């Protein structure tokens, strides 16, 4: 293979889009897993002034406002403005590549205006597969189970089938996720997050390679947590630790609640959710819950804990500040009782490296863009402390478009 026009590291959404945009050039797409697609279990797209909104007679000039109001701290406003302004073009591009969306538009939390689009079937069938099939039809070079080991002096070292390939290249694009599965790296930047589980396979390898190439690290301690259980059910019961006592208000916001639970984990304690016959009605899947006929069957210490909680409901004062004005929140007294382990998952890492609107990384020595190194996706760190629902997927497309435009100019 002659000098590559571009090496694309990562076969998730951003890598697939960029590869499709550069498909007529001499490029190589590498992915560390066996399959392309990245995390495709959930993939909605927030976009303003789309044909879908026009069809529904919806006018939308609030996307940028929603983006910055949801993450007023640490986010890159210039990047979010470009995301907002180009979001409809991103949807049009995906459709030109064969991606299909549902006709209906979602009205989502913290969006003032309905603008979220969902894949017609699911993310794999309606988004990922059309992008992969188009690459195959254009004979784009793809290596799976391949890892980037290093990048130096415009030469990439790639581990593939137990051999190290040295490839000269003109451009390199890191279309990688965060580092949620890199426990050692996480322990340095956010020690409490070390105690969270993760479903991610992403490590900090690509990030470290970018840092070696003078990228500016940014917001590496910003991380978002999640639960396998739907957390809206927590308020209908109580969260207890290994000592069978409460330690937090169950109706706190997701991040606050996760931090409280992680602090219990740090002390070597497990956390469980207790529901009764009333509370269990608010969850569809109870397969993870163990059933008991009395509190004493669980642990006699739990009787005092529940009595204290019930007394608080009677007096309309909760020891941990839980809002008891919701009439659906009742005393825990209806046998049967249900107990389930509660785990905290590191959902995604918001930090990475500084980049500009062309998706070029910024040199820590000169504070100027490095001409041929690009970052797209989670590692670009534009969203600050939180990212608005559906915005991350759209950002993958928008900044792949901008990177490709710059490379091809």
């Amino acid at each position: 293979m002659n000098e590559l026009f571009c090496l694309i590291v990562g076969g998730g959404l951003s890598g697939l889009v960029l590869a499709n945009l550069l498909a007529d050039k001499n490029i190589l797409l590498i992915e560390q897993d066996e399959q392309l697609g990245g995390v495709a279990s959930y993939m909605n797209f927030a976009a303003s002034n789309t044909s879908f909104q026009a069809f529904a007679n919806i006018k939308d000039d609030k996307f940028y406002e929603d983006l910055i109001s949801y993450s007023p701290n640490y986010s890159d406003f210039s990047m979010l403005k470009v995301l907002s302004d180009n979001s409809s073009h991103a949807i049009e591009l995906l459709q030109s590549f064969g991606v299909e969306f549902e006709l209906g538009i979602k009205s989502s939390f913290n969006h003032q205006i309905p603008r979220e689009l969902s894949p017609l079937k699911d993310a794999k069938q309606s988004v990922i597969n059309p992008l992969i099939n188009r690459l195959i039809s254009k004979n784009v070079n793809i290596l799976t189970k391949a890892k980037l080991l290093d990048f130096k002096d415009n030469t990439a070292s790639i581990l593939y089938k137990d051999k190290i390939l040295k490839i000269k290249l003109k451009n390199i694009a890191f279309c990688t996720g965060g580092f949620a599965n890199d426990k050692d790296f996480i322990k340095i930047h956010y020690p409490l997050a070390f105690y969270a589980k993760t479903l991610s396979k992403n490590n900090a390898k690509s990030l470290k390679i970018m840092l070696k190439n003078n990228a500016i690290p940014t917001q590496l301690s910003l991380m978002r947590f999640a639960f396998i259980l739907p957390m809206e059910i927590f308020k209908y019961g109580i969260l207890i630790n290994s000592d069978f006592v409460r330690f937090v208000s169950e109706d706190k916001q997701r991040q606050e609640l996760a931090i409280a639970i992680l602090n219990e984990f740090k002390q070597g304690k497990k956390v469980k959710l207790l529901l009764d016959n009333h509370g269990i009605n608010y969850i569809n899947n109870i397969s993870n819950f163990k059933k008991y006929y009395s509190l004493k069957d669980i642990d006699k210490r739990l009787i005092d804990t529940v009595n204290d909680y019930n007394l608080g409901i009677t007096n309309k004062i909760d020891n941990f500040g839980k809002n008891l004005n919701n009439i659906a929140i009742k005393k825990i007294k209806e046998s049967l009782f249900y107990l389930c382990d509660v785990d905290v998952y590191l959902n995604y890492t918001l930090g990475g490296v500084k980049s500009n609107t062309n998706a070029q990384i910024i040199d820590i020595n000169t504070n100027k863009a490095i001409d041929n190194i690009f970052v797209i996706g989670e590692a670009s760190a534009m969203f600050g402390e939180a990212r608005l629902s559906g915005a991350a997927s759209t950002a993958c497309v928008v900044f792949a478009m901008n990177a490709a435009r710059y490379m091809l100019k």
Side-chain angles (χ1 to χ4, degrees):
M1 184 181 291
N2 297 325
E3 182 185 56
L4 285 177
F5 178 77
C6 185
L7 172 66
I8 300 172
V9 184
L13 176 63
S14 56
L16 292 173
V17 171
L18 183 60
N20 272 281
L21 288 165
L22 301 177
D24 294 331
K25 293 289 186 177
N26 179 24
I27 64 172
L28 172 63
L29 170 65
I30 65 171
E31 166 58 45
Q32 65 179 355
D33 289 337
E34 290 187 46
Q35 296 181 328
L36 301 173
V39 180
S41 57
Y42 175 84
M43 195 180 288
N44 280 3
F45 295 80
S48 59
N49 300 311
T50 62
S51 60
F52 295 86
Q53 286 180 318
F55 183 79
N57 200 28
I58 296 172
K59 294 183 179 180
D60 186 358
D61 60 354
K62 303 290 187 182
F63 190 19
Y64 176 61
E65 181 180 315
D66 289 347
L67 283 165
I68 61 175
S69 65
Y70 190 61
S71 184
N73 300 318
Y74 312 114
S75 57
D76 187 321
F77 287 7
S78 64
M79 298 284 280
L80 297 184
K81 186 66 166 65
V82 169
L83 168 59
S84 171
D85 291 347
N86 292 276
S87 58
S88 62
H89 301 308
I91 301 303
E92 292 168 5
L93 178 73
L94 289 173
Q95 289 180 294
S96 74
F97 288 160
V99 172
E100 295 180 296
F101 298 100
E102 290 181 357
L103 185 59
I105 307 171
K106 282 189 174 184
S107 182
S108 305
F109 181 65
N110 284 315
H111 290 266
Q112 297 181 64
I113 296 170
R115 64 171 69 94
E116 263 200 274
L117 301 174
S118 298
L120 181 62
K121 295 178 182 176
D122 59 40
K124 182 169 174 47
Q125 292 183 75
S126 298
V127 180
I128 298 301
N129 286 350
L131 295 174
I132 293 174
N133 291 338
R134 189 173 184 274
L135 294 179
I136 293 172
S137 71
K138 290 183 170 291
N139 297 313
V140 171
N141 296 307
I142 299 170
L143 295 179
T144 57
K145 298 180 72 173
K147 295 181 180 181
L148 179 67
L149 300 179
D150 201 4
F151 172 67
K152 185 178 180 182
D153 298 329
N154 293 331
T155 300
S157 300
I158 300 169
L159 179 63
Y160 179 64
K161 291 186 175 179
D162 298 323
K163 294 182 180 179
I164 296 178
L165 310 177
K166 297 275 190 178
I167 302 175
K168 293 285 291 184
L169 46 91
K170 185 175 181 180
N171 299 290
I172 184 168
F174 291 89
C175 299
T176 50
F179 47 89
N181 197 36
D182 197 318
K183 289 286 190 179
D184 292 335
F185 196 79
I186 286 166
K187 197 168 185 178
I188 294 169
H189 296 283
Y190 193 165
L192 193 60
F194 176 83
Y195 299 94
K197 295 184 177 181
T198 183
L199 299 176
S200 170
K201 296 180 181 178
N202 294 328
N203 56 43
K205 182 64 178 177
S206 291
L207 177 57
K208 292 173 184 176
I209 293 173
M210 285 187 278
L211 295 177
K212 283 176 62 177
N213 282 273
N214 295 333
I216 300 174
T218 183
Q219 318 304 353
L220 295 179
S221 62
L222 293 179
M223 303 179 191
R224 297 291 286 181
F225 303 108
F227 303 91
I228 296 296
L229 288 172
M231 66 170 292
E232 60 268 19
I233 70 165
F234 291 174
K235 61 179 175 284
Y236 300 112
I238 59 172
L239 289 167
I240 55 174
N241 63 21
S242 301
D243 298 324
F244 295 93
V245 297
R246 286 179 74 210
F247 58 92
V248 68
S249 170
E250 292 80 11
D251 60 356
K252 283 188 177 294
Q253 295 294 315
R254 178 175 65 168
Q255 202 74 355
E256 286 183 281
L257 193 60
I259 289 170
I261 293 171
L262 288 172
N263 273 307
E264 296 297 311
F265 293 167
K266 183 180 178 181
Q267 299 174 56
K269 297 178 181 180
K270 293 183 178 180
V271 172
K272 296 178 184 291
L273 173 66
L274 176 71
L275 299 173
D276 65 2
N277 269 349
H278 168 72
I280 204 70
N281 289 323
Y282 291 93
I283 183 168
N284 294 323
N285 182 2
I286 66 170
S287 60
N288 291 324
F289 284 82
K290 190 173 180 180
K291 185 166 55 176
Y292 297 87
Y293 288 95
S294 72
L295 295 175
K296 186 172 61 175
D297 290 341
I298 302 172
D299 191 284
K300 64 181 181 180
R301 289 173 290 179
L302 192 53
I303 297 173
D304 288 338
T305 299
V306 170
N307 286 340
D308 286 345
Y309 175 72
N310 289 343
L311 181 62
I313 292 180
T314 298
N315 296 329
K316 294 291 184 181
I317 300 175
D318 183 72
N319 292 335
F320 296 94
K322 188 172 184 176
N323 181 3
L324 302 178
N325 293 324
N326 185 341
I327 60 172
I329 296 176
K330 300 181 181 296
K331 295 179 179 180
I332 296 175
K333 61 180 183 178
E334 299 183 31
S335 180
L336 302 165
F337 300 99
Y338 300 83
L339 203 62
C340 177
D341 289 329
V342 175
D343 288 314
V344 176
Y345 286 82
L346 180 50
N347 197 16
Y348 53 87
T349 54
L350 286 149
V353 300
K354 179 72 175 172
S355 59
N356 66 7
T357 55
N358 292 323
Q360 296 165 284
I361 69 172
I362 306 301
D363 191 302
I364 195 168
N365 297 312
T366 65
N367 208 33
K368 294 180 180 179
I370 298 176
D371 196 54
N372 66 336
I373 307 179
F374 301 81
V375 58
I376 308 164
E378 194 168 323
S380 65
M382 75 182 75
F383 288 108
E385 63 188 354
R387 61 191 191 197
L388 194 65
S389 173
S393 298
T394 310
C396 286
V397 184
V398 167
F399 292 100
M401 292 165 55
N402 286 8
R405 187 182 301 115
Y406 184 86
M407 290 184 208
L408 295 170
K409 72 176 183 179

